[in-house]
Amino acid sequence: MKDILCLGIETSCDETSVSVVKNGREVFSNIISSQIEIHKKYGGVVPEIASRNHIENINVVIQEALEQANVTFKDIDVISVTYGPGLVGALLVGVSVAKGLAYALKKPLVGVHHIHGHIAANYIAHTQLEPPFISLVISGGHTHLVNVKGYNEFEILGKTRDDAVGEAFDKIARVIGLEYPGGPKVDKLAKQGDITYKFPRTYFDNLDFSFSGIKTAVLNTVNNSKDIKVEDVCVSFEEAVSEVLVTNSIKALQQNNCDKLVLAGGVAANSYIKEKLENALNEKGYKLYYPPNVLCTDNAAMIASAGYYKYISGKQDTLDLNAIANLKIGER
Ligand code: KG4
Ligand code: ZN
């Protein structure tokens, strides 16, 4: 089969990213222009500011991605872009640019679900990995257990009923005075702490999650006592979250007779969660996969990979592709 070069575009939140990926697995370039410094002073992403920055950055990032890959527009076979879920104004920048490129260059256009992209990051990191497997998606906006039955076939097994894990990380980080995004800073501090606080774990009789109870318990602990040890709070929080993630992931593997768990999303960068999952899964003879940190958080290489698999399955989008802020996993 002829090689296929896919240009990926990701603008769903606060990273403007463009990538060139060969055959869904080989990254030629993956340029990520982060707006974190801009949003930091507001304590979180300001949607309007994110959209404006995407507009300012996108052309430069595209050029850089082509240059680093040592290709021109002519060499690109497919244009893929995140069209949801995310901030609608931010998504629209990527979608509009992708449609413009597809039209001007007469290339096929493929809209990609952001979370299908996060899962596909693992195809880049583990070149032999193929579905079926169970994916634990943990990001700023999602906490989902997904049965990945094929490259383009997803079944949701469980999801959070309130906060996403990353959201809980960012909120507790904020209350202990850490800058946005707090997840990586909690990760670092936790390494110096001891598990001295017992925070609640929430379970349901299915594979759903809930993190608002843990979050509130942490916030109350921090607000109600004068001499808290921040490092201990961080690691106690991670321990509570990990326990729930491990328990539900193992249940999902058992119920679906599967032995592969694939981590995806920004929180998959968390060292404590990875270690806990790794140990628990090893004990049961299951295998854990996760991408390197740069492919855990938002990037366009994962979108180009997912776009490639959608394209080779025969799916394409037309120029009426629109941004969908609340696109559901598994929808096309
Ligand atoms: O996947 P992502 O880049 O964006 C979304 O699609 O939401 O995930 C961002 C989330 C943020 O909540 C951030 O705090 C969290 O991932 N995160 C981490 C770590 N690195 C990023 N959380 C815990 N530990 C980390 N090392
Ligand atoms: Zn993401």
Side-chain angles (χ1 to χ4, degrees), residues 198-215:
K198 177 87 181 160
F199 295 126
R201 284 89 162 134
T202 307
Y203 292 100
F204 299 100
D205 48 17
N206 61 9
L207 294 172
D208 280 354
F209 300 94
S210 165
F211 296 103
S212 64
I214 298 178
K215 182 194 68 187

Side-chain angles (χ1 to χ4, degrees), residues 5-315:
L5 273 195
C6 187
L7 183 84
I9 300 177
E10 157 63 41
T11 65
S12 68
C13 192
D14 59 345
E15 262 94 27
T16 316
S17 183
V18 179
S19 170
V20 177
V21 174
K22 187 173 107 180
N23 298 336
R25 302 264 179 175
E26 196 181 332
V27 178
F28 282 7
S29 64
N30 186 23
I31 308 296
I32 304 166
S33 166
S34 172
Q35 302 176 12
I36 284 177
E37 286 306 316
I38 299 165
H39 296 282
K40 232 179 200 174
K41 56 177 176 285
Y42 306 102
V45 178
V46 184
E48 182 57 29
I49 295 176
S51 315
R52 261 187 271 157
N53 277 283
H54 285 311
I55 294 174
E56 280 172 24
N57 292 341
I58 189 78
N59 286 328
V60 179
V61 178
I62 291 173
Q63 280 312 322
E64 263 186 66
L66 292 173
E67 271 166 35
Q68 201 177 96
N70 206 15
V71 298
T72 66
F73 279 130
K74 271 210 292 242
D75 303 310
I76 300 293
D77 300 296
V78 184
I79 312 281
S80 64
V81 62
T82 308
Y83 74 111
L87 304 169
V88 76
L91 287 164
L92 272 171
V93 177
V95 169
S96 306
V97 168
K99 290 200 288 190
L101 285 175
Y103 179 71
L105 302 168
K106 299 188 176 62
K107 309 273 183 186
L109 173 71
V110 176
V112 171
H113 190 295
H114 182 74
I115 296 299
H116 300 177
H118 272 302
I119 294 169
N122 285 281
Y123 299 137
I124 297 169
H126 309 282
T127 48
Q128 305 303 315
L129 177 69
E130 289 183 353
F133 52 75
I134 303 293
S135 183
L136 174 64
V137 181
I138 41 179
S139 73
H142 287 77
T143 304
H144 279 62
L145 271 163
V146 183
N147 188 359
V148 182
K149 297 175 167 177
Y151 285 104
N152 298 290
E153 210 186 327
F154 306 88
E155 181 200 357
I156 297 174
L157 303 172
K159 61 178 194 298
T160 182
R161 296 188 180 183
D162 40 58
D163 292 350
V165 180
E167 204 177 338
F169 264 96
D170 293 340
K171 281 182 187 160
I172 72 138
R174 195 167 169 171
V175 83
I176 55 181
L178 306 173
E179 277 183 328
Y180 175 84
K185 295 175 186 88
V186 171
D187 191 347
K188 219 167 154 188
L189 281 177
K191 290 187 203 300
Q192 278 114 50
D194 297 310
I195 304 166
T196 51
Y197 299 94
K198 177 87 181 160
F199 295 126
R201 284 89 162 134
T202 307
Y203 292 100
F204 299 100
D205 48 17
N206 61 9
L207 294 172
D208 280 354
F209 300 94
S210 165
F211 296 103
S212 64
I214 298 178
K215 182 194 68 187
T216 307
V218 175
L219 300 195
N220 287 341
T221 303
V222 174
N223 289 331
N224 295 340
S225 46
K226 285 207 171 63
D227 52 343
I228 54 143
K229 194 161 173 245
V230 169
E231 292 83 356
D232 288 3
V233 171
C234 290
V235 72
S236 304
F237 166 75
E238 286 186 341
E239 169 64 18
V241 167
S242 301
E243 197 180 292
V244 177
L245 295 176
V246 165
T247 305
N248 283 10
S249 298
I250 288 177
K251 261 195 217 162
L253 290 165
Q254 285 168 341
Q255 286 173 8
N256 291 277
N257 209 5
C258 180
D259 62 358
K260 286 186 257 178
L261 185 75
V262 171
L263 265 185
V267 186
N270 185 271
S271 47
Y272 193 90
I273 293 175
K274 277 189 286 199
E275 196 186 316
K276 285 280 152 169
L277 278 167
E278 187 103 63
N279 292 342
L281 263 59
N282 269 347
E283 231 172 72
K284 300 224 176 265
Y286 297 135
K287 183 148 173 52
L288 178 70
Y289 297 82
Y290 51 80
N293 287 0
V294 67
L295 293 176
C296 286
T297 44
D298 291 348
N299 68 89
M302 67 187 199
I303 302 304
S305 175
Y308 165 83
Y309 284 107
K310 189 168 169 184
Y311 175 72
I312 60 164
S313 79
K315 293 185 184 127

